[in-house]
Amino acid sequence: VNKTLYLLFVLIIFFMPKSFDSFSKQYNLFADQAIRISGYDTQTLVDAKLKKLKNLYPALAKNSFCLLDYGCGIGNLYDSVAKFFPKAVYTGVDQSKKSIREAKLRFPDHFDFQELDSSSWKEKKYDLIFSSGVFHHIPHDEHSSLIQYLSSLLNANGKMVIWEHNPINPFTQKIVKECIFDEDAILIQSKKLKQHLENASFSKVRVKYTTFFPKILSGLNIFDPFLSWLPLGGQYLAIGEKSDES
């Protein structure tokens, strides 16, 4: 791993907010309260994310692969990952020590939840790095360095998917404003993350918008894949693939 990237990553860890420690015990309760306007609960939305990932990469649903959940929190993604990717080798990492402790308590049979400053997860290579709702908690001037560092942990043809809130969606703005652990959040324009992925030499870089309909209109979710070009969804995915030459 490039030493300069590693040093930058260490600085990112040092300056990341530590506020999630205080929410680890009741994270899902607070999250459910924040998204109540949508009609959904946290785990339903987690399942929707995994379903989206499976639709993006159907081959991964059939094969063994290494998955890094960057910003795993208390392990919500792990709770459902086997339903969609039964052969995934899961590693979850988070800056919040108490969240990692909570994840280990929730899933005592899974031992690969790690703190961000651990060296173990940095010594592995991954086929898919997924990060959901994390980057808006990290200072924007550190995004480029972080993406470059995470890219160094990907195998050839490895995928990176960054799932973020869409700052131009008014319902998203309301949810973030009312969410107790999003007080430090600064939402990111999709074109910025797209640019960072391109600068990190990712190929097949694209943005897909999602989460267009609340639960009361859930029957319209069948149209969600056809609207991925429309920058009005509540959230978006910034996607890139590491080429063989990277």
Side-chain angles (χ1 to χ4, degrees):
V1 175
N2 184 284
K3 289 184 178 180
T4 302
L5 284 177
Y6 182 78
L7 289 172
L8 287 169
F9 180 74
V10 170
L11 288 173
I12 290 170
I13 292 174
F14 182 80
F15 287 109
M16 279 183 69
K18 299 176 174 56
S19 57
F20 277 81
D21 276 352
S22 59
F23 304 123
S24 59
K25 288 290 185 183
Q26 295 181 301
Y27 176 87
N28 284 346
L29 174 63
F30 289 131
D32 286 345
Q33 289 174 348
I35 63 175
R36 63 188 182 277
I37 188 175
S38 72
Y40 294 108
D41 60 26
T42 302
Q43 200 57 47
T44 300
L45 294 183
V46 168
D47 285 358
K49 291 173 184 178
L50 285 164
K51 183 178 179 180
K52 179 76 71 174
L53 284 177
K54 182 178 178 180
N55 289 338
L56 279 173
Y57 305 115
L60 292 181
K62 303 174 184 177
N63 301 314
S64 177
F65 72 99
C66 292
L67 165 64
L68 175 65
D69 181 7
Y70 184 81
C72 67
I74 62 171
N76 284 339
L77 194 77
Y78 176 75
D79 195 19
S80 295
V81 74
K83 291 192 294 185
F84 298 89
F85 299 102
K87 298 182 180 180
V89 180
Y90 174 96
T91 298
V93 61
D94 202 279
Q95 186 271 342
S96 167
K97 297 179 185 297
K98 289 185 178 180
S99 294
I100 290 297
R101 192 180 309 154
E102 186 69 17
K104 290 179 177 179
L105 288 172
R106 293 179 72 200
F107 309 105
D109 294 333
H110 184 75
F111 301 102
D112 210 0
F113 291 109
Q114 300 182 38
E115 296 174 11
L116 198 62
D117 56 5
S118 168
S119 62
S120 179
W121 69 273
K122 306 182 189 80
E123 296 168 354
K124 299 180 180 180
K125 290 287 187 178
Y126 303 94
D127 301 295
L128 172 62
I129 295 178
F130 180 64
S131 184
S132 176
V134 174
F135 274 69
H136 61 251
H137 293 291
I138 300 171
H140 286 206
D141 59 359
E142 297 173 3
H143 290 171
S144 179
S145 299
L146 176 56
I147 288 172
Q148 294 236 15
Y149 181 77
L150 293 175
S151 171
S152 72
L153 302 182
L154 281 171
N155 288 316
N157 300 315
K159 286 81 174 167
M160 181 176 289
V161 178
I162 303 173
W163 192 300
E164 269 298 336
H165 299 322
N166 185 1
I168 68 173
N169 183 288
F171 293 103
T172 296
Q173 292 176 6
K174 177 177 173 59
I175 288 171
V176 171
K177 184 178 180 180
E178 294 180 355
C179 184
I180 190 172
F181 44 73
D182 275 342
E183 292 180 353
D184 69 326
I186 302 176
L187 300 187
I188 313 157
Q189 293 183 358
S190 59
K191 65 181 181 180
K192 288 291 186 181
L193 285 181
K194 184 175 183 286
Q195 183 178 27
H196 290 322
L197 289 169
E198 290 171 341
N199 291 343
S201 299
F202 280 92
S203 62
K204 301 179 182 178
V205 176
R206 58 204 190 277
V207 170
K208 289 182 173 290
Y209 296 92
T210 187
T211 320
F212 289 92
F213 307 107
K215 187 175 182 180
I216 195 171
L217 298 174
S218 60
L220 298 176
N221 283 336
I222 57 172
F223 298 109
D224 193 284
F226 305 103
L227 297 172
S228 62
W229 58 272
L230 184 65
L232 297 178
Q235 297 178 310
Y236 66 87
L237 297 75
I239 304 165
E241 184 171 313
K242 188 172 183 179
S243 63
D244 290 308
E245 294 80 19
S246 297

